[in-house]
Amino acid sequence: MATKVKGLRERLRDGENVICAEGYLMELERRGYLKSGVFTPEVVLDHPERVTSLHEELVHAGSDIVEAFTYYGHREKLRLIGREHELEKLNLTALSLARGVADKHGCLMAGNLSKTTFYDPDDEDIIARSRAIFKEQVEWAVRGGADMIIAETFNDLGEAKLALEAILKYGNGIPAVVTLVAYFPDTTTDGVPIPQALRELEQLGADVVGLNCGRGPQTMLPLLKDVRKVCKGPLAALPVPFRTTPKQKTWHSLTDPVTGNPVYPLDLACVQCSRGEIRDFAREIRNLGVQYVGLCCGNTSSLLREIAQVYGRNPPSSRYAPDLSQNFAIGELYKRSSHILTYMMGGGKKAGSNGSN
């Protein structure tokens, strides 16, 4: 039997920090096991071993939470790919995979809700269908032994409230983390300022509120500072690790710095944040008092490790953290080879040259 681990509420109450790895959707697409476009998680059914492997990799890098990959794993999305009949199997399989890894490593396991992508605040039928989607996914999460539920990437406050309502009503008392995505304006798409929207979710009973996806570190940080002035409880920060700017606030708006062409969603590698940028962001939000931290779409284990280490962790992956002192070109032990670095950086002479033309 797995050893009982300290719960989310208890960790936050005691002033501890929690690291959560997200970004399964984009990483599994990058590895060739998920189709860009519809972005449904059928990899859970077709290649469950790949999902387990990614869970293991992200725990190795420092994640405290193993999040079941049920993002976009709801009735309406699976209908688009003709696999609605496998909906329950997909959800319970994803929960089982996450539960197994969480128990093995002493982590928390989270159920996962996502936006429906068809929500309309003026359509009562769609609101009812959204409620039904959240209800059945929450019930499956409880059945699958989730320690908490993450409801993420909501752009409408109204839809986020429906998800939180379902967790509170059907979640058997387990903690709720609710995060919004901010696009260009600092408001939800139903017109509520983000700080106010998060405060409302906090007051309604969410254990953690915050931001995920949408914006990179540079454009998420100013908004987080505004949120911190309003929200009283634990905050979440899980940006996309891409170089968003005040002119290109979201990863959807980024362009290739060489060609000027849009890069979302297939050509984002040219605008990925460096490890140093992720470390700097982690320091900033730690100083801001953000207790629940991670990375969303574009996350990799090497970037997550940077956050874990800034937050004072020593995950197993730290054994393999870079040690450039032994590098043949730039390391202290190999100064005799430093002339190679000149050639690497573009300042060397041609072999055999005496320096004259």
Side-chain angles (χ1 to χ4, degrees), residues 2-77:
T3 303
K4 183 174 177 59
V5 300
K6 191 173 185 179
L8 178 67
R9 289 187 182 121
E10 291 71 29
R11 296 182 192 205
L12 297 171
R13 176 201 64 202
D14 293 343
E16 298 176 22
N17 300 310
V18 179
I19 297 170
C20 179
E22 294 185 351
Y24 285 85
L25 183 151
M26 295 298 288
E27 181 60 11
L28 285 164
E29 190 280 334
R30 188 184 70 84
R31 297 181 182 193
Y33 292 95
L34 190 147
K35 185 183 289 291
S36 182
V38 68
F39 287 123
T40 46
E42 62 264 35
V43 60
V44 169
L45 298 173
D46 298 340
H47 296 282
E49 73 285 355
R50 301 298 176 179
V51 179
T52 296
S53 176
L54 186 53
H55 284 322
E56 293 271 6
E57 180 180 326
L58 294 171
V59 169
H60 183 70
S63 186
D64 297 312
I65 296 170
V66 182
E67 184 176 11
F69 187 29
T70 57
Y71 191 94
Y72 283 168
H74 58 70
R75 188 168 299 280
E76 297 294 333
K77 275 285 193 176

Side-chain angles (χ1 to χ4, degrees), residues 11 15 47 75 119 128 172 175 178 190 197 222-223 231 243 275 285 291 296 314:
R11 296 182 192 205
H47 296 282
R75 188 168 299 280
Y119 177 77
N172 202 27
V178 185
D190 46 358
L223 183 52
C231 290
R243 290 174 168 167
R275 298 188 196 190
I285 59 174
Q291 286 182 262
C296 198
N314 185 37

Side-chain angles (χ1 to χ4, degrees), residues 222-278:
L223 183 52
L224 280 169
K225 290 179 178 178
D226 290 338
V227 172
R228 180 73 286 174
K229 296 173 185 176
V230 174
C231 290
K232 309 302 180 184
L235 288 187
L238 302 100
V240 293
F242 299 108
R243 290 174 168 167
T244 54
T245 69
K247 289 186 177 180
Q248 298 179 343
K249 276 191 174 182
T250 71
W251 64 321
H252 312 92
S253 62
L254 286 169
T255 55
D256 188 308
V258 175
T259 67
N261 294 329
V263 296
Y264 175 85
L266 301 180
D267 297 317
L268 287 153
C270 63
V271 289
Q272 185 175 51
C273 289
S274 68
R275 298 188 196 190
E277 288 168 324
I278 296 301

